[in-house]
Coordinates of all heavy atoms in Angstrom, one line a residue:
G138 N 127.3 114.4 40.8 CA 126.8 113.0 40.9 C 126.7 112.5 42.3 O 126.2 111.4 42.5
R139 N 127.1 113.3 43.3 CA 127.0 112.8 44.7 C 125.5 113.1 45.1 O 124.9 114.0 44.7 CB 127.9 113.6 45.6 CG 129.4 113.5 45.3 CD 129.9 112.1 45.6 NE 129.7 111.7 47.0 CZ 130.7 111.5 47.8 NH1 132.0 111.6 47.4 NH2 130.5 111.1 49.1
A140 N 125.1 112.2 46.1 CA 123.7 112.3 46.5 C 123.6 113.5 47.5 O 124.5 113.9 48.2 CB 123.3 111.1 47.3
T141 N 122.4 114.1 47.5 CA 122.1 115.3 48.3 C 122.4 115.0 49.8 O 122.9 115.9 50.5 CB 120.6 115.7 48.1 OG1 120.4 116.0 46.7 CG2 120.3 117.0 48.9
W142 N 122.0 113.8 50.2 CA 122.2 113.5 51.7 C 123.7 113.4 52.1 O 124.0 113.4 53.2 CB 121.4 112.2 52.1 CG 121.7 111.0 51.3 CD1 122.7 110.2 51.4 CD2 120.9 110.6 50.2 NE1 122.6 109.2 50.4 CE2 121.5 109.4 49.7 CE3 119.7 111.0 49.5 CZ2 121.0 108.7 48.6 CZ3 119.2 110.3 48.5 CH2 119.9 109.2 48.0
D143 N 124.6 113.3 51.1 CA 126.0 113.3 51.4 C 126.6 114.8 51.5 O 127.7 115.0 52.0 CB 126.8 112.7 50.3 CG 126.7 111.2 50.3 OD1 126.3 110.6 51.4 OD2 127.0 110.5 49.3
M144 N 125.8 115.7 51.1 CA 126.4 117.1 50.9 C 126.7 117.7 52.3 O 127.7 118.4 52.4 CB 125.4 118.0 50.2 CG 125.2 117.6 48.7 SD 126.8 117.6 47.8 CE 126.3 117.0 46.2
A145 N 125.9 117.5 53.3 CA 126.2 118.0 54.6 C 127.6 117.5 55.1 O 128.4 118.3 55.6 CB 125.1 117.7 55.6
S146 N 127.8 116.2 54.9 CA 129.1 115.6 55.4 C 130.3 116.2 54.5 O 131.4 116.2 55.0 CB 129.1 114.1 55.2 OG 127.9 113.6 55.9
L147 N 130.0 116.6 53.3 CA 131.0 117.1 52.4 C 131.3 118.6 52.6 O 132.2 119.2 52.0 CB 130.6 116.9 50.9 CG 130.5 115.4 50.5 CD1 129.9 115.2 49.2 CD2 131.9 114.8 50.5
G148 N 130.4 119.2 53.5 CA 130.7 120.6 53.9 C 129.8 121.6 53.2 O 130.0 122.8 53.3
L149 N 128.7 121.2 52.6 CA 127.8 122.1 52.0 C 126.4 122.2 52.7 O 126.0 121.2 53.2 CB 127.4 121.6 50.6 CG 127.9 122.4 49.4 CD1 129.3 121.9 49.2 CD2 127.1 122.0 48.2
A150 N 125.9 123.4 52.8 CA 124.5 123.5 53.3 C 123.7 124.5 52.5 O 124.3 125.5 52.1 CB 124.5 124.0 54.8
L151 N 122.5 124.1 52.2 CA 121.6 125.0 51.4 C 120.5 125.6 52.4 O 119.8 124.8 53.0 CB 120.9 124.3 50.3 CG 119.8 125.0 49.5 CD1 120.3 126.2 48.8 CD2 119.1 124.0 48.6
I152 N 120.3 126.9 52.4 CA 119.2 127.5 53.1 C 118.3 127.9 52.0 O 118.5 128.9 51.3 CB 119.7 128.7 53.9 CG1 120.7 128.2 54.9 CG2 118.5 129.4 54.6 CD1 121.5 129.2 55.6
P153 N 117.2 127.2 51.8 CA 116.4 127.3 50.6 C 115.5 128.6 50.5 O 115.2 129.1 51.6 CB 115.6 126.0 50.5 CG 115.4 125.6 51.9 CD 116.7 126.1 52.6
E154 N 115.1 128.9 49.3 CA 114.1 130.0 49.1 C 112.9 129.6 49.8 O 112.5 128.4 49.8 CB 113.9 129.9 47.6 CG 113.3 131.1 47.0 CD 113.2 130.9 45.4 OE1 113.5 129.8 44.9 OE2 112.9 131.9 44.8
G155 N 112.2 130.5 50.5 CA 111.0 130.2 51.2 C 111.1 129.6 52.5 O 110.1 129.1 53.1
R156 N 112.4 129.4 53.0 CA 112.7 129.0 54.3 C 112.5 127.6 54.7 O 113.3 126.9 55.3 CB 112.0 129.9 55.4 CG 112.7 131.3 55.4 CD 111.7 132.4 55.5 NE 112.2 133.6 54.8 CZ 111.5 134.7 54.6 NH1 110.3 134.8 55.1 NH2 112.1 135.7 54.0
M157 N 111.3 127.0 54.3 CA 111.0 125.6 54.5 C 111.3 125.1 55.9 O 112.0 124.1 56.1 CB 111.9 124.8 53.5 CG 111.9 125.3 52.1 SD 110.4 124.7 51.3 CE 111.1 124.2 49.8
V158 N 110.8 125.8 56.9 CA 110.9 125.2 58.3 C 109.8 124.2 58.5 O 108.8 124.2 57.8 CB 110.9 126.3 59.3 CG1 112.1 127.2 59.2 CG2 109.6 127.1 59.3
F159 N 110.0 123.3 59.4 CA 109.0 122.3 59.8 C 108.1 123.0 60.8 O 108.4 123.1 62.0 CB 109.6 121.0 60.3 CG 110.5 120.4 59.4 CD1 111.9 120.5 59.5 CD2 110.0 119.6 58.3 CE1 112.8 119.9 58.6 CE2 110.9 119.0 57.4 CZ 112.3 119.1 57.5
R160 N 106.9 123.4 60.3 CA 106.0 124.2 61.1 C 105.5 123.6 62.4 O 105.3 124.2 63.4 CB 104.8 124.7 60.3 CG 105.2 125.5 59.1 CD 103.9 125.8 58.3 NE 102.9 126.6 59.1 CZ 103.0 127.9 59.3 NH1 104.0 128.6 58.7 NH2 102.1 128.5 60.0
D161 N 105.3 122.2 62.4 CA 104.8 121.5 63.5 C 105.8 121.0 64.5 O 105.5 120.2 65.4 CB 103.9 120.4 63.0 CG 102.7 120.9 62.2 OD1 102.3 122.0 62.5 OD2 102.2 120.1 61.4
M162 N 107.1 121.4 64.2 CA 108.1 121.0 65.1 C 108.6 122.3 65.8 O 108.5 123.4 65.3 CB 109.3 120.4 64.3 CG 108.9 119.0 63.8 SD 110.1 118.4 62.6 CE 111.5 118.2 63.6
T163 N 109.2 122.1 67.0 CA 109.7 123.3 67.8 C 111.0 123.8 67.1 O 111.6 123.2 66.2 CB 110.1 122.9 69.2 OG1 111.2 122.0 69.2 CG2 108.9 122.3 70.0
V164 N 111.3 125.0 67.5 CA 112.6 125.6 67.0 C 113.8 124.7 67.2 O 114.5 124.5 66.3 CB 112.8 127.0 67.8 CG1 114.2 127.5 67.6 CG2 111.7 128.0 67.3
E165 N 113.9 124.2 68.4 CA 115.0 123.3 68.7 C 115.0 122.0 67.9 O 116.0 121.6 67.4 CB 115.0 123.0 70.2 CG 116.3 122.3 70.7 CD 116.4 122.3 72.2 OE1 115.9 123.3 72.8 OE2 117.1 121.4 72.7
E166 N 113.8 121.5 67.7 CA 113.7 120.3 66.8 C 114.1 120.6 65.4 O 114.8 119.8 64.7 CB 112.3 119.7 66.9 CG 112.0 119.0 68.2 CD 110.5 118.7 68.4 OE1 109.7 119.3 67.7 OE2 110.2 118.0 69.4
N167 N 113.7 121.7 64.9 CA 114.1 122.1 63.5 C 115.6 122.2 63.4 O 116.2 121.8 62.5 CB 113.5 123.5 63.2 CG 112.2 123.4 62.5 OD1 112.1 123.3 61.2 ND2 111.1 123.4 63.2
L168 N 116.2 122.8 64.5 CA 117.7 123.0 64.4 C 118.4 121.6 64.5 O 119.3 121.4 63.7 CB 118.2 123.8 65.6 CG 117.8 125.3 65.5 CD1 118.1 126.0 66.8 CD2 118.4 126.0 64.3
A169 N 117.8 120.7 65.3 CA 118.4 119.3 65.3 C 118.3 118.7 64.0 O 119.2 117.9 63.6 CB 117.6 118.5 66.4
M170 N 117.3 119.0 63.2 CA 117.2 118.3 61.8 C 118.4 118.7 61.0 O 118.8 118.0 60.1 CB 115.9 118.8 61.1 CG 114.7 118.3 61.7 SD 114.6 116.5 61.8 CE 114.3 116.2 60.0
G171 N 119.0 119.9 61.2 CA 120.2 120.4 60.5 C 121.4 119.6 60.8 O 122.4 119.7 60.1
A172 N 121.3 118.9 62.0 CA 122.5 118.1 62.4 C 122.2 116.6 62.2 O 122.7 115.8 62.9 CB 122.8 118.4 63.9
F173 N 121.5 116.3 61.2 CA 121.0 114.9 61.0 C 122.2 114.0 60.7 O 122.2 112.9 61.2 CB 120.0 114.9 59.9 CG 119.2 113.6 59.8 CD1 118.4 113.2 60.9 CD2 119.4 112.7 58.8 CE1 117.8 112.0 60.9 CE2 118.8 111.5 58.8 CZ 117.9 111.1 59.8
P174 N 123.1 114.3 59.8 CA 124.2 113.3 59.5 C 124.9 112.9 60.8 O 125.2 113.8 61.7 CB 125.1 114.0 58.5 CG 124.3 115.1 58.0 CD 123.3 115.5 59.0
K175 N 125.3 111.7 60.9 CA 125.8 111.1 62.2 C 126.9 111.9 62.8 O 126.9 112.3 64.0 CB 126.3 109.7 61.9 CG 126.2 108.9 63.2 CD 126.4 107.4 62.9 CE 126.4 106.6 64.2 NZ 126.7 105.2 63.9
P176 N 128.0 112.3 62.0 CA 129.1 113.0 62.7 C 128.6 114.3 63.4 O 129.2 114.8 64.3 CB 130.0 113.3 61.5 CG 129.5 112.6 60.3 CD 128.2 112.2 60.6
H177 N 127.6 114.9 62.8 CA 127.1 116.2 63.3 C 126.2 116.1 64.6 O 126.1 117.0 65.4 CB 126.4 117.0 62.3 CG 127.2 117.2 61.1 ND1 126.9 116.9 59.8 CD2 128.5 117.7 60.9 CE1 127.8 117.1 59.0 NE2 128.8 117.6 59.6
R178 N 125.6 114.9 64.7 CA 124.8 114.6 65.9 C 125.7 114.7 67.2 O 125.2 115.2 68.2 CB 124.1 113.3 65.8 CG 122.7 113.4 65.1 CD 122.0 112.1 65.0 NE 122.4 111.5 63.7 CZ 122.3 110.2 63.5 NH1 121.7 109.4 64.3 NH2 122.6 109.7 62.3
A179 N 126.9 114.2 67.1 CA 127.8 114.2 68.2 C 128.0 115.7 68.7 O 128.2 115.9 69.9 CB 129.1 113.5 67.9
A180 N 128.0 116.6 67.8 CA 128.4 118.0 68.1 C 127.1 118.8 68.3 O 127.2 120.1 68.3 CB 129.2 118.6 67.0
L181 N 125.9 118.2 68.5 CA 124.7 118.8 68.5 C 124.6 120.0 69.5 O 124.2 121.1 69.2 CB 123.5 117.8 68.8 CG 122.1 118.3 68.8 CD1 121.7 118.8 67.4 CD2 121.1 117.3 69.2
G182 N 125.0 119.6 70.8 CA 124.9 120.6 71.8 C 125.8 121.9 71.6 O 125.3 123.0 71.7
R183 N 127.0 121.6 71.1 CA 127.9 122.7 70.8 C 127.4 123.6 69.7 O 127.4 124.8 69.8 CB 129.3 122.1 70.4 CG 130.3 123.2 70.0 CD 131.7 122.6 70.0 NE 131.9 121.3 69.2 CZ 132.0 121.3 67.9 NH1 132.1 122.4 67.2 NH2 132.2 120.2 67.2
N184 N 126.8 123.0 68.7 CA 126.3 123.8 67.5 C 125.0 124.5 67.9 O 124.8 125.6 67.4 CB 126.2 122.9 66.3 CG 127.5 122.7 65.6 OD1 128.3 123.6 65.5 ND2 127.8 121.5 65.2
L185 N 124.2 123.9 68.8 CA 123.0 124.6 69.2 C 123.4 125.9 69.9 O 122.8 126.9 69.7 CB 122.2 123.7 70.2 CG 121.0 122.9 69.7 CD1 120.4 122.2 70.8 CD2 120.0 123.8 69.0
E186 N 124.4 125.8 70.8 CA 124.8 126.9 71.6 C 125.4 128.0 70.6 O 125.2 129.2 70.8 CB 125.8 126.6 72.6 CG 125.2 125.9 73.9 CD 123.9 126.6 74.4 OE1 123.9 127.8 74.5 OE2 122.9 125.9 74.6
R187 N 126.1 127.6 69.6 CA 126.7 128.5 68.6 C 125.5 129.2 67.9 O 125.6 130.5 67.7 CB 127.6 127.7 67.6 CG 128.2 128.6 66.5 CD 129.2 127.8 65.8 NE 129.5 128.5 64.5 CZ 129.3 128.0 63.3 NH1 128.7 126.8 63.2 NH2 129.6 128.6 62.3
V188 N 124.5 128.5 67.4 CA 123.4 129.1 66.7 C 122.6 130.0 67.6 O 122.2 131.1 67.2 CB 122.5 128.0 66.1 CG1 121.2 128.5 65.6 CG2 123.2 127.3 65.0
F189 N 122.4 129.6 68.9 CA 121.7 130.4 69.8 C 122.5 131.7 70.1 O 122.0 132.8 70.4 CB 121.4 129.7 71.1 CG 120.3 128.7 71.0 CD1 120.3 127.5 71.8 CD2 119.3 128.9 70.1 CE1 119.3 126.6 71.6 CE2 118.2 127.9 69.9 CZ 118.2 126.8 70.7
G190 N 123.8 131.6 70.0 CA 124.7 132.8 70.2 C 124.5 133.8 69.1 O 124.5 135.0 69.3
L191 N 124.3 133.2 67.9 CA 124.1 134.1 66.7 C 122.7 134.7 66.7 O 122.5 135.8 66.2 CB 124.3 133.3 65.4 CG 125.8 133.0 65.0 CD1 125.8 131.9 63.9 CD2 126.5 134.3 64.5
F192 N 121.8 133.9 67.1 CA 120.3 134.2 67.0 C 119.7 134.1 68.4 O 119.0 133.1 68.7 CB 119.6 133.3 66.0 CG 120.2 133.3 64.7 CD1 120.9 132.2 64.2 CD2 119.9 134.3 63.8 CE1 121.5 132.2 63.0 CE2 120.5 134.3 62.5 CZ 121.2 133.2 62.1
P193 N 119.9 135.1 69.3 CA 119.4 135.0 70.7 C 117.8 134.8 70.7 O 117.3 134.1 71.6 CB 119.8 136.3 71.3 CG 120.9 136.8 70.5 CD 120.7 136.3 69.1

Side-chain angles (χ1 to χ4, degrees):
R139 301 290 302 245
T141 304
W142 52 83
D143 284 339
M144 293 302 176
S146 309
L147 296 169
L149 248 80
L151 170 66
I152 299 166
E154 199 174 11
R156 289 139 210 174
M157 311 280 223
V158 296
F159 300 101
R160 298 177 58 83
D161 298 333
M162 290 167 69
T163 65
V164 165
E165 192 164 329
E166 287 164 348
N167 266 275
L168 292 172
M170 293 301 286
F173 193 68
K175 206 170 179 184
H177 303 124
R178 269 178 273 164
L181 184 67
R183 175 163 54 83
N184 281 320
L185 260 183
E186 284 315 312
R187 179 169 163 246
V188 167
F189 286 150
L191 284 167
F192 304 102

